[in-house]
Amino acid sequence: MLVFDAHLDLAMNAVEWNRDLSQPLAHLRAREAHKRDKPDRGRGTVSFDEMRRAGIGLCVATQIARVEHDAYSPVAGWASPAQAWAMTRAQRAWYDAMEEAGEIRILRNLHDLDQHLALWSSPAPVPSPSPAAADRRPIGCILSLEGADSLVTLQHLERSWNDGLRAVGPAHYGPGVYAQGTSTTGGFNARGRDLLREMQRLGILLDVTHLSDECLVEALDLFDGPVWASHHLCRALVPHQRQLPDEHLRLLAQRDAVVGLALDAWMVVPGWVRGQSTPESTGASLRHVAEHADHIAQVTGSARHVGIGTDLDGAFGNEQTPREVQSIADILQLADHLRARGWSQPDIEGVFSGNFLRVLRRAWSGS
């Protein structure tokens, strides 16, 4: 079964965490087991080999660098948009290097997508004990900007489009240059409204993830192009502004958008205390992720609005994942939990790839 993961911070892990994702996962963990600079050291779940083992032939791969505006910041940022821009350029250079190495393929249009899907629809090589003989098909990457703070001007957005950028989430955590993000209130400023207009002109897909409640509603009113929510879960099950309330799920369904199921455990189960809770102490499981999927389907009236957007190794490792998830390959177990809840095989395949592919095809149909 082909898997389309709609949110992976691959370049952040490579450039800022200094992880060589072309190496086996065990190697990545061993290399940093002695480090204590980040809470997820030695606990990573993502490598290219593990992605291939899961059948993740496609992913939305991010560039991310936010700007700090004040003392509030659950996530570190840069002192200026120019510095943030420089970091996203370093991340973009890494994607180029991985494409040259044959690890990934950057997809820019419908022709690229169809060619890539044809490659991944052919049988994978027979499993072999030799890593060199293993499946080495490149992973298709759709480049996305998580938080638009690094766009010094709107001309930088067009430069990024020409360089392959195909989706943008205008905000991340806290207040942003263009929009209000997680744990903030309020709508878009004038620059943010200009950003949405320029995204629509260029044909860039809007990712509403991390937007404040007001910004999300305003974005759906101002932006007429294709939309998705790359990595979210449900506020009705785990109360927090980072999650989508039912009214936003309905609004997204009206746009035929898809919500990617995130695997950050604090979003999966209620009552998680950062730095204290563990998957074992809370019982966080893929069963709970399936409950979120069920909730989205019930609220929207259809399984067509549910996808996968793991956010794995998004500044957390297996200390903060559902307890079964020791590698990104373990996400395949979610299918069993969905079957147990009565989901059909076509609906499950929609969750794992078909639903996000539908939105992407619509976004690129005029490219």
Side-chain angles (χ1 to χ4, degrees), residues 98-166:
M98 291 302 97
E99 187 168 42
E100 291 168 5
E103 296 285 3
I104 70 169
R105 180 185 181 189
I106 298 171
L107 307 180
R108 293 170 171 81
N109 52 46
L110 202 56
H111 175 72
D112 289 351
L113 178 63
D114 286 339
Q115 278 195 334
H116 188 74
L117 290 176
L119 174 66
W120 275 79
S121 67
S122 61
V126 176
S128 166
S130 169
D135 183 3
R136 304 304 302 173
R137 288 176 291 185
I139 296 163
C141 290
I142 297 96
L143 298 185
S144 179
L145 185 63
E146 185 175 17
D149 288 3
S150 62
L151 297 173
V152 181
T153 69
L154 291 185
Q155 286 69 43
H156 287 73
L157 178 64
E158 185 163 9
R159 287 169 60 184
S160 297
W161 161 261
N162 291 331
D163 207 20
L165 184 71
R166 292 297 180 265

Side-chain angles (χ1 to χ4, degrees), residues 298-314:
Q298 290 166 14
V299 168
T300 63
S302 175
R304 68 187 275 115
H305 304 295
V306 185
I308 301 292
T310 65
D311 196 21
L312 285 177
D313 291 359

Side-chain angles (χ1 to χ4, degrees), residues 101-345:
E103 296 285 3
I104 70 169
R105 180 185 181 189
I106 298 171
L107 307 180
R108 293 170 171 81
N109 52 46
L110 202 56
H111 175 72
D112 289 351
L113 178 63
D114 286 339
Q115 278 195 334
H116 188 74
L117 290 176
L119 174 66
W120 275 79
S121 67
S122 61
V126 176
S128 166
S130 169
D135 183 3
R136 304 304 302 173
R137 288 176 291 185
I139 296 163
C141 290
I142 297 96
L143 298 185
S144 179
L145 185 63
E146 185 175 17
D149 288 3
S150 62
L151 297 173
V152 181
T153 69
L154 291 185
Q155 286 69 43
H156 287 73
L157 178 64
E158 185 163 9
R159 287 169 60 184
S160 297
W161 161 261
N162 291 331
D163 207 20
L165 184 71
R166 292 297 180 265
V168 171
H172 191 226
Y173 277 91
V177 172
Y178 294 93
Q180 299 300 309
T182 298
S183 299
T184 64
T185 59
F188 284 90
N189 57 32
R191 293 186 68 188
R193 291 188 288 273
D194 288 342
L195 173 69
L196 292 176
R197 282 190 286 269
E198 185 68 359
M199 287 172 57
Q200 186 157 322
R201 182 185 75 82
L202 292 167
I204 293 176
L205 195 146
L206 171 65
D207 186 352
V208 300
T209 305
H210 282 295
L211 288 176
S212 70
D213 288 352
E214 295 87 351
C215 274
L216 188 148
V217 173
E218 189 176 355
L220 294 179
D221 183 51
L222 295 173
F223 186 85
D224 292 335
V227 175
W228 63 34
S230 63
H231 56 303
H232 267 292
L233 291 173
C234 303
R235 199 176 300 183
L237 301 182
V238 179
H240 191 281
Q241 189 266 347
R242 173 68 180 83
Q243 313 273 66
L244 289 171
D246 290 355
E247 57 266 33
H248 289 178
L249 291 173
R250 295 187 187 97
L251 287 173
L252 289 166
Q254 290 172 14
R255 298 288 293 271
D256 199 30
V258 177
V259 178
L261 299 169
L263 298 189
D264 194 341
W266 80 266
M267 298 169 62
V268 172
V269 291
W272 185 280
V273 180
R274 291 178 183 273
Q276 298 180 29
S277 298
T278 66
E280 293 72 27
S281 69
T282 60
S285 165
L286 288 173
R287 174 179 62 83
H288 296 101
V289 178
E291 290 176 6
H292 286 270
D294 237 13
H295 185 82
I296 296 168
Q298 290 166 14
V299 168
T300 63
S302 175
R304 68 187 275 115
H305 304 295
V306 185
I308 301 292
T310 65
D311 196 21
L312 285 177
D313 291 359
F316 66 95
N318 64 12
E319 82 287 353
Q320 197 168 298
T321 61
R323 58 191 179 188
E324 306 97 321
V325 180
Q326 300 302 302
S327 154
I328 194 169
D330 295 324
I331 66 171
L332 295 176
Q333 298 176 49
L334 177 62
D336 296 330
H337 291 281
L338 292 174
R339 284 190 199 94
R341 301 180 76 88
W343 287 53
S344 69
Q345 185 62 25

